[in-house]
Amino acid sequence: MANQTLKEKTARGLLWGAFSSGSTQVLNIVIGIFLARRLSHDDYGIVAMLTIFTAIATNIQDSGFTNALINQKQTDHRDLNSVFWFNVLTSVCLYLLLFFCSPLIAAFFRQPCLVELSRLVFLTFVIAALGIVHNAYLTKHLMNREKAVIGVVALVVSGCVALVLAYRGCGYWSIAWQQVSFNLVVLLGRLYYTPWHPTLHIDFSPVRRMFPFSVRILVTSIINTLSNNVLTLIFGRLYQASQLGVFNQAYQWDFKAHSFMNMTIAQVAQPVLATLNDEADRQLRAFRKMLRFAAFLSFPLMFGLAMVSEEFIVLTITEKWLPSVPFLRVLCVSGAFAPFYELYRNLAISEGRSDIYMRCNVAQILLLLLLIMAVHPWGIWGMVVAYASLNILWLLVWQLATGRLTGLRLVDALCDVMPFLLAAAAVMAVTFWLTAGIGNRLLLLSVRVVLAAVLYVLIMKVARVKMLDECIAFIKR
């Protein structure tokens, strides 16, 4: 009965996670299309310059305590209250620091407008800090339905704010206010759905107890943020805002696509794997099933977007963004492997091995920086290809590092993943070849999407893939 209960919780968590991620990405796509049609390359480039600062500040204010709270078998009010006030105090200090450093940031990128813009954008992580513990509570208790509702409402409200400002000619300010309003609505939703509330009786002893585990998560999160945004930082310094805007447009569409899987997995992976960390066999089976689920969805989704990228970009955000297509294709191929990183990271964290999580990410960013310096003479294109290639190959390091914890062999992981990779690649190649003669872009996009989906489902049916049958059966039930 316990096994069935956990299985049902996991399945429901994945279903609501998929719904939340899917609806989030659909709304993001719709909003992104209208904004991209209205805003310029420079608008996106200027806002992108601040991405790495807000991301790192968010890592610091969280300090890894979200993972620590989720990973604990039992969490009481003292734990939650301690982390809440630590996050709030840290975020206020960080905001004040960045507020006075904004002229230096503007000088680094040679964009005076960043002084005022950054002071508004940096408010987002102060707002977010008030809801971090509440999010940990929702995640730990697999309250993914509530998280789905919060995400959808926040996107609709913030999207409306951004669109109104964009059509009133506010340019990059519309994106900044979108971020602020999104975080504010998310905070209100988390406060509404979470039964726990902070008190003024503050005791930081739980923070001190969790700190050795959390600090490794913190360092790793910062390193991971640098890895994900290193190209944006470099391009923002070396090239014009318009060139950064073109790359950022491709990066954002790739992120929207692969984060669908990342968000789905992240909402259940660590809670489920942490629950099973005393039962090695069950944990390994659960991990491999999540691995197959990720491969089943991620490869056709990302390879398909790479195939239709030109038609998609031109039809949705017009030909002015056509230069972003080559970048999008390369990023989509590496983005197909992003959900596996999420799984391996959560596996290491669920075992309490934040040291593995830290070492793998530190080594990756160091190697990435060396690789980018080596290919710098080849320009933006060379650096993007190098970045994507390393992101794929580095999964082997994660497999070797975490395989020892669970007994998962490389050959078993490849057996779980490769059939879906080969099937998706074959489907996209055949679809591309069969439809190459269609001249109308709208017709071409429609035919390619439908044909690729039908072929992929047929292959799964003929091969009697259990994952397809289980997904269909659960949705029907």
Side-chain angles (χ1 to χ4, degrees):
M1 182 61 116
N3 181 40
Q4 182 67 22
T5 301
L6 180 61
K7 184 177 180 180
E8 283 296 315
K9 282 184 176 180
T10 305
R12 290 181 184 278
L14 285 171
L15 180 63
W16 276 108
F19 170 77
S20 174
S21 302
S23 57
T24 295
Q25 298 316 315
V26 168
L27 288 170
N28 268 325
I29 288 171
V30 173
I31 295 167
I33 288 171
F34 283 101
L35 284 178
R37 284 174 169 267
R38 190 69 180 178
L39 303 179
S40 67
H41 296 179
D42 287 340
D43 291 329
Y44 277 92
I46 288 171
V47 175
M49 292 173 185
L50 298 175
T51 301
I52 193 167
F53 298 100
T54 54
I56 291 176
T58 301
N59 296 149
I60 295 173
Q61 68 168 356
D62 178 28
S63 304
F65 288 110
T66 297
N67 296 109
L69 290 172
I70 295 172
N71 217 43
Q72 289 186 164
K73 292 292 184 182
Q74 298 293 331
T75 302
D76 58 24
H77 173 77
R78 287 176 63 252
D79 298 326
L80 297 172
N81 202 55
S82 179
V83 173
F84 174 83
W85 287 111
F86 179 84
N87 285 338
V88 170
L89 293 173
T90 303
S91 65
V92 171
C93 293
L94 280 171
Y95 178 75
L96 293 175
L97 176 64
L98 289 173
F99 182 92
F100 292 109
C101 286
S102 57
L104 299 178
I105 296 172
F108 176 82
F109 289 110
R110 298 184 290 271
Q111 295 288 345
C113 63
L114 288 179
V115 175
E116 298 301 325
L117 183 67
S118 64
R119 289 172 175 173
L120 172 63
V121 171
F122 292 156
L123 279 174
T124 57
F125 60 83
V126 178
I127 299 170
L130 296 169
I132 286 176
V133 170
H134 300 78
N135 182 55
Y137 184 96
L138 294 173
T139 303
K140 186 177 181 67
H141 292 83
L142 293 174
M143 298 172 67
N144 291 333
R145 180 179 66 85
E146 291 79 4
K147 293 176 71 174
V149 173
I150 293 169
V152 170
V153 173
L155 270 174
V156 171
V157 173
S158 62
C160 291
V161 170
L163 290 173
V164 169
L165 292 175
Y167 279 86
R168 289 176 64 89
C170 295
Y172 49 75
W173 287 102
S174 58
I175 305 176
W177 278 108
Q178 180 187 26
Q179 296 176 14
V180 173
S181 57
F182 176 84
N183 281 274
L184 184 58
V185 176
V186 166
L187 170 62
L188 295 175
R190 289 173 178 174
L191 295 176
Y192 176 78
Y193 280 115
T194 306
W196 176 85
H197 301 290
T199 61
L200 293 177
H201 181 70
I202 304 172
D203 175 13
F204 285 127
S205 58
V207 166
R208 290 193 293 270
R209 172 171 48 82
M210 289 183 274
F211 189 77
F213 175 86
S214 301
V215 71
R216 297 190 184 103
I217 302 293
L218 168 61
V219 172
T220 307
S221 298
I222 293 174
I223 294 297
N224 193 38
T225 296
L226 287 171
S227 176
N228 291 335
N229 295 279
V230 65
L231 293 184
T232 300
L233 181 65
I234 293 172
F235 295 167
R237 173 63 181 175
L238 297 180
Y239 303 102
Q240 295 179 350
S242 59
Q243 292 174 286
L244 174 58
V246 169
F247 167 77
N248 185 254
Q249 191 66 240
Y251 182 86
Q252 290 300 319
W253 285 113
D254 168 65
F255 179 80
K256 287 181 176 71
H258 74 66
S259 64
F260 163 73
M261 281 303 307
N262 284 14
M263 292 166 62
T264 300
I265 291 170
Q267 294 182 61
V268 298
Q270 192 191 346
V272 171
L273 294 174
T275 302
L276 299 174
N277 61 10
D278 294 329
E279 303 175 65
D281 290 339
R282 288 181 65 198
Q283 187 189 59
L284 179 58
R285 289 197 300 271
F287 178 79
R288 291 188 64 183
K289 189 159 190 174
M290 291 181 190
L291 204 62
R292 291 191 294 272
F293 178 76
F296 171 71
L297 289 182
S298 183
F299 287 127
L301 174 66
M302 300 306 299
F303 290 174
L305 181 57
M307 177 185 64
V308 302
S309 56
E310 181 175 337
E311 302 86 65
F312 176 79
I313 290 294
V314 172
L315 290 171
T316 55
I317 56 178
T318 72
E319 291 190 359
K320 73 177 180 180
W321 293 105
L322 198 57
S324 67
V325 170
F327 298 132
L328 179 57
R329 284 174 174 160
V330 174
L331 292 173
C332 281
V333 173
S334 66
F337 296 84
F340 306 128
Y341 277 101
E342 193 70 36
L343 279 172
Y344 280 113
R345 287 167 181 161
N346 280 283
L347 177 61
I349 294 171
S350 68
E351 291 287 338
R353 297 299 304 273
S354 55
D355 57 325
I356 291 177
Y357 183 51
M358 181 177 69
R359 288 199 298 267
C360 286
N361 281 279
V362 169
Q364 183 179 8
I365 185 60
L366 292 176
L367 184 57
L368 179 60
L369 289 173
L370 291 173
L371 186 60
I372 287 176
M373 285 190 291
V375 301
H376 175 258
W378 282 272
I380 292 180
W381 177 248
M383 287 186 278
V384 172
V385 172
Y387 169 84
S389 301
L390 181 63
N391 280 344
I392 296 173
L393 296 174
W394 198 253
L395 275 172
L396 294 174
V397 176
W398 273 100
Q399 165 58 35
L400 292 173
T402 56
R404 299 170 186 170
L405 298 177
T406 61
L408 177 64
R409 300 177 303 168
L410 176 60
V411 65
D412 293 329
L414 291 175
C415 287
D416 289 332
V417 169
M418 289 303 294
F420 299 105
L421 185 154
L422 295 175
V427 165
M428 301 312 155
V430 170
T431 301
F432 186 86
W433 177 70
L434 290 175
T435 58
I438 300 177
N440 182 278
R441 280 199 172 102
L442 179 58
L443 179 61
L444 179 61
L445 177 63
S446 304
V447 172
R448 281 182 169 174
V449 169
V450 173
L451 181 59
V454 171
L455 288 177
Y456 188 72
V457 171
L458 284 176
I459 290 176
M460 296 297 105
K461 276 289 188 182
V462 171
R464 297 182 179 179
V465 175
K466 291 183 179 180
M467 186 61 64
L468 176 64
D469 295 333
E470 289 178 359
C471 290
I472 293 174
F474 189 84
I475 291 172
K476 286 181 178 179
R477 187 166 69 248

